[in-house]
Amino acid sequence: MTDKKNRVFSGMRPSGRLHLGNYLGALRNWVVLQETFQCIYCAVDVHALTDMQGNSTKDIKPNIHEMILDWLAAGINPEKSLVFVQSHVPEVMILHSLLSMVTPLGWLMRVPTFKDKIRQMEETEENVSYGLVGYPVLMTADIILYKANTVPVGEDQLPHIELAREIVRRFNNMYGKIFPEPQSKLTEHPLIRGLDGKQKMSKSLNNHIELAISPEETHKRVRGAFTDPQRLKKDDPGNPLICNVYSLHKYFNPDKLDEIYSRCVVADIGCVEDKEILSDGINEMLREFREKREELASRPKYVSEVLSEGAERARSIAQQTLSEVRERMGISQSI
Ligand code: AMP
Ligand code: TRP
């Protein structure tokens, strides 16, 4: 039964094929939530423009296509959930502009992800755009345009959702309570570490495993993973508690955890065999996903049909909210 009172919204930037971190940290939750709530999932191409510029923007469209195939193969059902591309519902850009009038600049400058980004950009002498500062304001517009109250994301997005709540509170205080305060929703695995074992799994750090690669490529990627750095030879006993491959077994081989632990600490299993077990586990978990993805990819118009229907349905909700906002803010179309 669908709980119509609760609406779920989430988005991902179209950076191409998704990786295990995206799946375990967010997408898996999206699939579960659509059984109970009205869910709206968006490929946020305008957000992508904060770090794709000039010639690289030609990748946005193919990236959207690849990402939507991943969503659908993972179980997002367009008959249950609304799936669309952010810029196809341009009302969000108007709401972004209106929200930017009620958002203090100081709040945006304090967002930790923004501060990290500035630090990186200073190192490479890049310019910080006006749009980048407003990144969380556009996220807020995404969420509240649909009056969503639940936002399933990975841990890295929490500061943005917190800021969205503050913007909503301020807006509601100024213009009357029209928006619910959105709540974030984490999965059981909100932060997946990459193959380097140190940082979060991320495409830009090249420490990731894409969902859509072949079983052989999966073996190859996993073979390159870092394990316990103290364990140099096969006969050295390992310490699973500091080994990233062991932590990945938690997701892919939960029933083998105890056995692997006890064999690793007495050097009865080496890292090579251990990694084979991990990639077998990953391949097994993704078998159905990969088959379905191939089948969907062979239907040439399917993704664009899903997206155009999604945009049409999203747009009718968006237009209602926007006219309500304009009315409250004193700039409705009737004079
Ligand atoms: P991104 O590709 O960075 O736009 O992320 C899309 C979604 O996946 C967001 O909800 C992120 O929080 C989540 N996500 C990305 N990387 C990871 C990771 N390594 N662990 C857990 N969640 C992640
Ligand atoms: N910033 C999010 C990310 O990088 C993507 C995003 C854009 C989003 N708008 C959103 C997530 C609204 C949740 C709700 O992953």
Side-chain angles (χ1 to χ4, degrees):
M1 208 183 54
T2 313
D3 174 353
K4 294 276 180 212
K5 281 201 294 298
N6 276 307
R7 199 177 263 163
V8 171
F9 183 97
S10 197
M12 287 193 199
R13 277 172 302 164
S15 49
R17 292 175 174 193
L18 300 181
H19 54 71
L20 292 175
N22 300 130
Y23 178 67
L24 295 168
L27 188 56
R28 216 165 48 152
N29 243 355
W30 293 17
V31 175
V32 173
L33 288 166
Q34 66 181 353
E35 298 307 326
T36 322
F37 303 108
Q38 189 179 43
C39 295
I40 304 181
Y41 298 129
C42 180
V44 293
D45 56 347
V46 183
H47 276 106
L49 295 174
T50 55
D51 54 16
M52 290 171 96
Q53 266 152 28
N55 200 27
S56 70
T57 59
K58 69 177 184 333
D59 295 333
I60 293 179
K61 284 191 176 161
N63 283 356
I64 291 176
H65 186 86
E66 293 294 323
M67 183 171 79
I68 300 295
L69 280 176
D70 281 339
W71 290 6
L72 299 172
I76 299 294
N77 179 347
E79 285 175 13
K80 292 184 179 153
S81 298
L82 224 145
V83 178
F84 73 104
V85 177
Q86 189 181 33
S87 68
H88 297 181
V89 181
E91 283 76 6
V92 75
M93 294 183 252
I94 306 177
L95 185 57
H96 168 234
S97 194
L98 298 176
L99 291 179
S100 71
M101 305 301 170
V102 305
T103 308
L105 186 57
W107 290 4
L108 298 173
M109 307 294 280
R110 280 197 295 271
V111 175
T113 43
F114 178 67
K115 291 205 281 190
D116 289 348
K117 194 89 191 191
I118 301 253
R119 228 170 284 129
Q120 281 166 19
M121 290 174 95
E122 271 166 3
E123 276 168 28
T124 49
E125 292 182 13
E126 284 170 273
N127 289 312
V128 175
S129 69
Y130 170 52
L132 182 66
V133 190
Y135 186 105
V137 184
L138 183 57
M139 270 182 76
T140 309
D142 280 329
I143 300 165
I144 72 176
L145 192 53
Y146 305 96
K147 299 193 177 174
N149 29 28
T150 304
V151 187
V153 281
E155 199 169 85
D156 56 341
Q157 295 300 315
L158 294 183
H160 293 153
I161 310 302
E162 200 38 57
L163 190 69
R165 292 164 63 81
E166 288 179 62
I167 297 174
V168 163
R169 256 178 251 142
R170 194 170 160 91
F171 184 97
N172 285 346
N173 273 335
M174 285 179 172
Y175 296 108
K177 191 172 180 316
I178 55 175
F179 295 117
E181 278 181 35
Q183 304 269 3
S184 44
K185 186 170 177 61
L186 296 176
T187 64
E188 313 147 51
H189 309 303
L191 188 71
I192 309 300
R193 274 187 293 158
L195 296 174
D196 56 5
K198 296 189 202 98
Q199 310 187 66
K200 74 165 191 169
M201 184 175 283
S202 143
K203 195 166 198 158
S204 54
L205 298 168
N206 192 23
N207 62 4
H208 64 303
I209 298 182
E210 284 177 4
L211 302 172
I213 57 176
S214 67
E216 296 69 39
E217 284 172 280
T218 307
H219 277 286
K220 208 161 133 199
R221 293 288 291 171
V222 172
R223 256 178 245 133
F226 278 69
T227 49
D228 169 5
Q230 309 291 325
R231 191 173 187 196
L232 303 174
K233 297 190 303 303
K234 190 168 181 279
D235 320 335
D236 293 339
N239 179 357
L241 299 179
I242 56 166
C243 172
N244 189 39
V245 169
Y246 183 74
S247 74
L248 290 167
H249 281 305
K250 268 197 279 215
Y251 320 121
F252 301 104
N253 290 312
D255 351 328
K256 297 195 178 129
L257 268 185
D258 292 346
E259 183 200 331
I260 293 171
Y261 186 95
S262 40
R263 289 184 62 200
C264 176
V265 290
V266 295
D268 179 40
I269 182 174
C271 295
V272 176
E273 189 190 339
D274 188 32
K275 288 177 186 176
E276 287 294 294
I277 299 175
L278 177 61
S279 27
D280 285 342
I282 297 174
N283 287 336
E284 185 48 36
M285 179 168 159
L286 293 178
R287 194 159 40 87
E288 236 177 87
F289 164 90
R290 287 168 174 167
E291 282 166 13
K292 185 158 175 205
R293 194 182 196 281
E294 233 172 85
E295 191 260 313
L296 294 172
S298 70
R299 292 155 62 179
K301 292 232 170 65
Y302 185 60
V303 168
S304 63
E305 281 164 10
V306 166
L307 293 177
S308 77
E309 201 201 306
E312 201 180 310
R313 288 168 55 206
R315 201 148 185 212
S316 84
I317 308 175
Q319 283 171 341
Q320 271 178 27
T321 309
L322 189 60
S323 72
E324 205 179 343
V325 169
R326 291 183 59 165
E327 183 76 43
R328 299 278 179 132
M329 292 183 89
I331 55 161
S332 71
Q333 268 165 314
S334 58
I335 294 287

